[in-house]
Amino acid sequence: MTENTHMPFYKSILAILGASLLLATNGASALSELGNGTLMMEIQAGIEYDSNIYTNNLEEGDFIVSASPRLSYLQNGGVINLELGLGIEAGEFLHNTEDSYQDRFADFSLSGLDREGSTLMFSLSGGWREQTTASEEVGTRIESDIVHLNGTVELSLSEKAGVRVSAGYLDTDYVNASYADSEDLSARVEGLYHYSEKLSLKAGYRYRDIDYNGDYVSRATDTFIVGAEGDLSAKLSGVLELGYALQDGGLDDYFFYSASLNWQMDEKTTFNLSGLRDNSASPTGDNVINTSLTLAAMQSFTEKLSAHAFIGLGQYEREGENARKDDIFRLGAGLSNSLSESSSLDFTLSYEKRDSISVQSDYEQVLASVGYSIQF
């Protein structure tokens, strides 16, 4: 269980809602005049039943009431686009009240030069957030502070060729000193060949270094990647990447893939195939490779009512003293009803089964939720 060190849930929610609503109603005009931008407020609230709040074999359930107001400032200058956001996500456990949380966050994104005739495009995003979540790796809820930063620059060399350079940084500091704080740094360069106006082929190289604090072993990976992005056919679009990763420290190399493909069957029906196989930082400080593959379907019934469903398979592989291998099965569905242009009501139900050689990590989990969101 986590130690709840934050202010009481209701006081926190009332404070952020009051301040945000005051700014949204009284400050929007002043901010708009100052920067020719738009001030927006989005509020998400809901109730969820989680049959396994600690993601372990004890399978203890609880109801969680949550609310997340976010205040955003958007400025579209034609050439440069800017978005700033801040807010809080708070959840109250009805029985396990010591696990209630209030996680603050702030983020930004900056992009520009993405217009016809431009040879240079860039994007930059980042932020800070507090995160309280159940970790299936350790079988309990853990708290952390996260700083993230990502940037991309793309340069057109000719009508058919270009180059893209990107970098990412992720810093994770856990409140509990028994977990492994980490810095995850990656840099990637790839050449682009514009096969047509809507389809590009690419080949590149990524360097990634996961650096753990303390006595944990840091790890570097060299990955060579080929892929395609854009419209693969009249109905199929997205990104597909395949590669091979070389790990240092005597660890086994592995095949890498990343996919997000959309098939527009007709105006109302869409299928999506997404997946990822890659290494990741772990709170245990061990080398971890996650594999996932998910097929989702989206169906619009009317202009306001839509449904979605998904089925997915995954695998979690961890090397080291606490080595283990998990097979994961996921299934879910939901309904979304637009109440107006700026508000919606959502219902979701999902199921996960995890088969693990670790007794603690062998479990089932059911999530059922009702959520409401509004933007103004």
Side-chain angles (χ1 to χ4, degrees):
M1 295 183 184
T2 61
E3 180 182 355
N4 182 15
T5 58
H6 303 287
M7 72 174 71
F9 171 77
Y10 296 108
K11 290 184 179 180
S12 174
I13 286 296
L14 289 175
I16 191 68
L17 283 176
S20 300
L21 289 172
L22 183 64
L23 286 171
T25 53
N26 296 332
S29 176
L31 281 176
S32 296
E33 293 175 0
L34 180 63
N36 291 325
T38 303
L39 193 67
M40 300 185 66
M41 166 63 71
E42 181 179 6
I43 299 175
Q44 296 180 345
I47 183 169
E48 177 182 70
Y49 173 73
D50 185 342
S51 71
N52 194 344
I53 60 175
Y54 301 120
T55 58
N56 60 35
N57 63 314
L58 298 179
E59 298 186 6
E60 182 175 354
D62 205 343
F63 288 89
I64 307 103
V65 179
S66 64
S68 180
R70 171 186 167 87
L71 186 66
S72 301
Y73 174 70
L74 298 88
Q75 186 181 66
N76 187 343
V79 177
I80 304 296
N81 301 316
L82 172 67
E83 180 175 352
L84 304 173
L86 61 87
I88 187 171
E89 180 182 353
E92 175 78 355
F93 286 73
L94 297 190
H95 300 294
N96 297 271
T97 56
E98 69 276 9
D99 289 305
S100 299
Y101 62 92
Q102 298 89 47
D103 292 340
R104 298 165 295 175
F105 61 86
D107 53 53
F108 77 93
S109 65
L110 183 68
S111 62
L113 307 178
D114 186 6
R115 55 181 180 174
E116 187 175 354
S118 175
T119 59
L120 180 67
M121 296 178 287
F122 77 92
S123 65
L124 181 66
S125 64
W128 162 84
R129 70 179 184 271
E130 298 170 323
Q131 181 172 279
T132 306
T133 185
S135 170
E136 65 281 354
E137 294 191 57
V138 295
T140 190
R141 297 184 65 81
I142 56 178
E143 297 180 17
S144 59
D145 289 320
I146 296 175
V147 176
H148 59 98
L149 185 65
N150 295 280
T152 301
V153 175
E154 184 174 328
L155 177 65
S156 295
L157 303 176
S158 68
E159 184 177 335
K160 286 288 187 179
V163 62
R164 180 186 296 150
V165 179
S166 58
Y169 174 78
L170 177 66
D171 179 88
T172 305
D173 293 320
Y174 295 99
V175 174
N176 190 326
S178 64
Y179 299 125
D181 297 342
S182 64
E183 291 183 296
D184 187 343
L185 177 65
S186 64
R188 178 170 172 171
V189 59
E190 53 193 348
L192 304 173
Y193 174 69
H194 304 301
Y195 181 80
S196 66
E197 291 184 0
K198 296 183 178 182
L199 179 63
S200 297
L201 307 178
K202 57 185 181 179
Y205 163 79
R206 184 193 70 178
Y207 172 79
R208 186 176 184 185
D209 179 71
I210 300 177
D211 186 17
Y212 293 105
N213 292 345
D215 298 329
Y216 298 98
V217 178
S218 299
R219 295 175 175 86
T221 306
D222 301 286
T223 308
F224 300 89
I225 303 170
V226 296
E229 60 186 43
D231 293 343
L232 303 175
S233 69
K235 293 187 175 183
L236 183 64
S237 64
V239 180
L240 177 62
E241 297 179 339
L242 302 173
Y244 193 73
L246 307 174
Q247 297 195 98
D248 70 353
L251 297 171
D252 293 337
D253 303 333
Y254 64 92
F255 287 100
F256 162 94
Y257 70 77
S258 177
S260 180
L261 300 172
N262 293 299
W263 181 42
Q264 190 75 38
M265 182 176 177
D266 53 44
E267 293 183 356
K268 294 187 175 183
T269 308
T270 304
F271 291 92
N272 173 267
L273 180 66
S274 61
L276 179 66
R277 177 173 170 79
D278 203 2
N279 65 341
S280 64
S282 167
T284 65
D286 297 305
N287 187 58
V288 170
I289 296 177
N290 286 296
T291 304
S292 66
L293 190 64
T294 302
L295 177 63
M298 288 70 70
Q299 176 69 45
S300 296
F301 299 109
T302 66
E303 292 184 358
K304 295 185 176 182
L305 182 63
S306 62
H308 69 272
F310 71 88
I311 185 171
L313 297 174
Q315 191 172 81
Y316 169 89
E317 301 170 83
R318 186 170 76 190
E319 300 180 359
E321 294 183 3
N322 303 308
R324 79 178 214 225
K325 184 176 180 180
D326 302 355
D327 292 318
I328 306 158
F329 172 76
R330 297 186 178 98
L331 183 69
L335 285 172
S336 180
N337 184 34
S338 297
L339 304 177
S340 67
E341 292 183 358
S342 59
S343 64
S344 65
L345 188 64
D346 300 288
F347 305 86
T348 61
L349 178 66
S350 65
Y351 167 80
E352 177 178 316
K353 180 174 175 57
R354 200 175 190 99
D355 293 319
S356 176
I357 62 174
S358 167
V359 175
Q360 174 183 278
S361 304
D362 196 276
Y363 65 80
E364 294 179 303
Q365 182 181 37
V366 175
L367 298 173
S369 65
V370 179
Y372 172 76
S373 65
I374 184 170
Q375 188 178 76
F376 53 89

